[in-house]
Amino acid sequence: MAAPLLEVADLVRHFPLRAGPAGARRGTVRAVDGVSFAIEPGTTFALVGESGCGKTTTARLVLHLDRPTSGRILVRGKDIGTLRGAGLRAYRNEVQAVFQDPYSSLNPRMRVGEIVGEPLRIQRGLRRRELATRVGELLEQVGLPAAVARRHPHQFSGGERQRIALARALSLSPKLLVLDEPVSALDVSIRAQILNLLADLQEELGLSYLLISHDLAVVEHMSHRVAVMYAGEIVEVATRANLYENPLHPYTRALIAAVPQADPDVPLVDSGFGEPPNPAQLPPGCRYHPHCPIADASVCPVIEPVPRPVRPDHTVACHLVEPQEVASDATRGGGERLG
Ligand code: SF4
């Protein structure tokens, strides 16, 4: 296995909870609480979970839009918390983001050419002719004609706008793209096109993706490895095949069971397995125990489970999951084009 492009080690982000006119501290919101994972070059690693589970806070920390309370984020072994000046600028160029809403992420007053070319103009100092050529190449790379550079974002559909956002994100030749719910705001008919484009770009450019999603169908199609987050923690991490064919954590099982497999349009996370806990008032022991159908009252509300490997490339944080028999194809997984 190649050395990781990105390693996240025991990442913690707590926010003070303040109340009253004086803003007195009333507690702590434990948004991200000891998260660790690694992303290998050219692969997609997905963080999946319900709204508020900490996946977007984790993405913000990876993008260096926020600072962790503790823990480290390493890019090719270098701690990004120690980067300053040119080193930090280089990291920001290497790690780009595409967000959920293509309607608000593009400046409506700028032409497409300016939007896509702005990072190249500012960071690389490209001049007019060179800039126009490179912008045209980037637009064609995402399936748009170079001539659209003269138009404004409002003249495009949601899917086309997401292509423009992608062209901008690719402009500085990043190694890692953070994809935060990249297709959830798009019409279902357009989603497969954007997912296929992302798969093609990954293969062509050797990109790594950190995919943030609540949508288990999107995650299944795009990911090589998947981590399930619950209440600020990763409760299960595995190859795509392991996770979808043999989910082991009771919360992962509930998530997958809540997805009507034949209908990808139906909301993928429902409330059938209980509201997630308030991150300022987490239950003791296993955070999932108030909803867990197999909780053991003698241990689950008392002792917090730690992540344990239960078979190759499959780790689970649950007291009751035992090591598993290894299937011959247990480690297969990877992004796929949709038909
Ligand atoms: Fe359920 Fe206990 Fe496992 Fe938590 S540790 S998921 S409560 S069985």
Side-chain angles (χ1 to χ4, degrees):
M1 190 181 287
L5 172 67
L6 187 95
E7 275 180 277
V8 169
D10 207 12
L11 198 66
V12 172
R13 182 64 171 109
H14 290 173
F15 298 96
L17 184 66
R18 300 192 185 280
R25 187 164 181 151
R26 290 280 185 266
T28 301
V29 176
R30 294 159 73 177
V32 174
D33 218 12
V35 162
S36 300
F37 60 85
I39 307 178
E40 271 84 44
T43 69
T44 300
F45 184 88
L47 286 176
V48 65
E50 293 168 276
S51 178
C53 70
K55 56 190 192 303
T56 295
T57 303
T58 304
R60 286 179 55 77
L61 293 167
V62 168
L63 287 165
H64 213 268
L65 299 173
D66 189 13
R67 295 291 182 112
T69 305
S70 63
R72 297 193 306 161
I73 298 170
L74 307 165
V75 59
R76 292 193 207 86
K78 180 95 178 156
D79 186 344
I80 69 166
T82 66
L83 298 176
R84 303 282 181 273
L88 186 55
R89 276 198 297 282
Y91 178 75
R92 288 193 195 281
N93 293 347
E94 272 195 325
V95 180
Q96 296 285 318
V98 174
F99 296 103
Q100 175 178 359
D101 186 359
Y103 293 91
S104 64
S105 64
L106 305 177
N107 185 335
R109 284 189 283 278
M110 291 169 77
R111 292 182 192 276
V112 167
E114 295 171 293
I115 291 170
V116 174
E118 189 179 43
L120 289 166
R121 183 175 56 75
I122 294 171
Q123 298 287 340
R124 302 272 159 82
L126 258 57
R127 298 299 177 90
R128 239 173 118 169
R129 187 184 294 254
E130 210 180 355
L131 193 59
T133 302
R134 184 69 188 124
V135 165
E137 289 169 357
L138 286 161
L139 289 169
E140 285 171 0
Q141 198 162 33
V142 298
L144 294 170
V148 305
R150 290 192 293 275
R151 293 161 63 182
H152 286 87
H154 72 266
Q155 296 174 278
F156 295 90
S157 68
E160 289 166 334
R161 288 184 206 205
Q162 205 58 315
R163 288 176 190 267
I164 294 165
L166 201 45
R168 180 183 164 106
L170 293 175
S171 64
L172 295 173
S173 307
K175 298 281 184 293
L176 174 70
L177 285 189
V178 176
L179 305 170
D180 190 354
E181 304 278 8
V183 296
S184 57
L186 303 179
D187 286 349
V188 174
S189 58
I190 305 298
R191 287 182 194 174
Q193 294 173 16
I194 299 296
L195 294 176
N196 286 341
L197 173 63
L198 287 166
D200 291 344
L201 290 170
Q202 182 167 60
E203 197 175 319
E204 207 176 298
L205 305 173
L207 290 167
S208 302
Y209 295 146
L210 172 58
L211 172 66
I212 306 297
S213 184
H214 72 286
D215 187 329
L216 286 161
V218 168
V219 168
E220 184 174 13
H221 282 298
M222 276 196 71
S223 306
H224 297 81
R225 301 181 73 237
V226 183
V228 178
M229 285 192 77
Y230 184 80
E233 298 178 324
I234 291 177
V235 296
E236 182 161 9
V237 59
T239 59
R240 177 188 64 173
N242 275 350
L243 194 101
Y244 282 84
E245 289 166 19
N246 191 12
L248 296 173
H249 193 281
Y251 176 67
T252 310
R253 291 182 173 205
L255 274 183
I256 290 175
V259 180
Q261 298 293 327
D263 186 353
D265 305 341
V266 173
L268 294 163
V269 175
D270 74 16
S271 57
F273 36 89
E275 285 291 306
N278 179 344
Q281 290 176 318
L282 293 169
C286 174
R287 295 175 186 187
Y288 188 54
H289 85 259
H291 304 296
C292 181
I294 62 165
D296 178 338
S298 67
V299 60
C300 297
V302 183
I303 300 170
E304 185 159 14
V306 294
R308 289 181 301 138
V310 291
R311 58 180 172 169
D313 224 340
H314 197 154
T315 299
V316 183
C318 173
H319 295 304
L320 303 192
V321 173
E322 301 294 339
Q324 306 285 303
E325 294 283 321
V326 178
S328 60
D329 63 348
T331 56
R332 73 182 166 83
E336 285 180 345
R337 285 183 62 84
L338 302 174

